[in-house]
Amino acid sequence: MKKTLITLFAVMTAISMFAINPITLEGKFNVKKSKGAVAVYSINWDGTQCGEIDDGVFVKGGMPIAEWLKAQDDQKIADGKAEDANFAKDWEGIKAEGNKYFKEEWNDEFGKKGLRLTQNESEAQYRFEVVVDKLDWGSTAGTMFGWGNAGGAIIVGHADLTDINSGERVARFIINHVQGPGHVTDRFRILLVLHQLVDDIEDVY
């Protein structure tokens, strides 16, 4: 048994050595140590491509999010489950909820001693924009039958922090491959990957 555990630990260590870093930080601005700084924020999904992601890249190529949402609804209808074809309809609500949730998680992590996010531009010195280039929605099955973050949503892109007055970008967080915990619902997988994004940004300092 002891030998088995040692072998398993060695395998997991080897995997972790070659795992892609979820976030890469460019710039010297420290959001953890910038008390009093305020940024107006947004999460940009406009150019998001959807598909299956492995180590930050699409396995079979991506699809624009509007087309992906329609394809999911079309499949539900084809399967005789038209009442469940709500992907496109629910997306605007998911985005709004995710936007609010991200702010709450960020300010809970950084807001007291570091950069605080707001939606009131008049009180902000900075602009913080998260751009999601790629999205893997994860899966219910992966969540139910996997372990760890199996089945969790994955995002790839970047987040820029820009000085509003000068227009200078003071920090960029490159989102290489952030994967949230699994969940049986698509909505919660999006919220959880945004929570994970905050945690992974915290880890780069």
Side-chain angles (χ1 to χ4, degrees):
M1 179 65 178
K2 184 177 180 180
K3 184 177 180 180
T4 301
L5 290 174
I6 292 173
T7 302
L8 179 60
F9 176 77
V11 170
M12 295 305 295
T13 301
I15 291 172
S16 65
M17 287 176 62
F18 294 100
I20 188 170
N21 289 328
I23 297 286
T24 303
L25 172 62
E26 294 180 351
K28 297 181 179 179
F29 190 99
N30 190 325
V31 301
K32 293 179 70 174
K33 299 178 180 180
S34 53
K35 189 172 182 178
V38 181
V40 61
Y41 76 103
S42 61
I43 303 176
N44 187 341
W45 302 89
D46 293 344
T48 305
Q49 300 269 322
C50 296
E52 183 183 347
I53 296 174
D54 185 26
D55 280 345
V57 299
F58 285 125
V59 174
K60 299 178 181 178
M63 178 184 296
I65 191 165
E67 294 180 20
W68 189 92
L69 293 166
K70 184 178 184 302
Q72 307 314 302
D73 286 342
D74 289 346
Q75 187 60 55
K76 288 288 186 182
I77 293 169
D79 292 341
K81 299 178 180 178
E83 70 279 2
D84 295 329
N86 298 315
F87 280 84
K89 183 179 72 174
D90 290 346
W91 176 233
E92 291 303 316
I94 292 172
K95 284 195 297 182
E97 188 175 4
N99 203 49
K100 179 181 178 182
Y101 182 74
F102 180 76
K103 173 190 171 185
E104 292 172 352
E105 293 301 309
W106 180 281
N107 286 343
D108 184 58
E109 185 70 45
F110 301 116
K112 293 180 180 179
K113 296 182 179 180
L115 180 72
R116 180 172 61 86
L117 298 186
T118 182
Q119 290 185 312
N120 182 3
E121 188 164 350
S122 66
E123 65 173 327
Q125 304 92 46
Y126 298 94
R127 189 177 309 280
F128 187 73
E129 182 184 27
V130 178
V131 178
V132 182
D133 294 323
K134 302 175 185 176
L135 169 63
D136 182 332
W137 281 72
S139 71
T140 298
T143 296
M144 294 175 67
F145 302 109
W147 59 281
N149 280 12
I154 300 167
I155 57 173
V156 177
H158 65 273
D160 286 343
L161 182 65
T162 306
D163 186 303
I164 290 177
N165 290 325
S166 68
E168 177 189 3
R169 188 178 75 201
V170 297
R172 165 170 280 194
F173 300 93
I174 300 174
I175 306 169
N176 300 306
H177 182 110
V178 170
Q179 182 168 9
H183 197 277
V184 294
T185 69
D186 304 290
R187 168 178 161 267
F188 269 105
R189 289 199 295 274
I190 296 298
L191 298 182
L192 289 170
V193 77
L194 293 176
H195 175 93
Q196 188 64 45
L197 175 59
V198 174
D199 284 351
D200 287 343
I201 287 176
E202 196 276 337
D203 285 344
V204 300
Y205 294 102

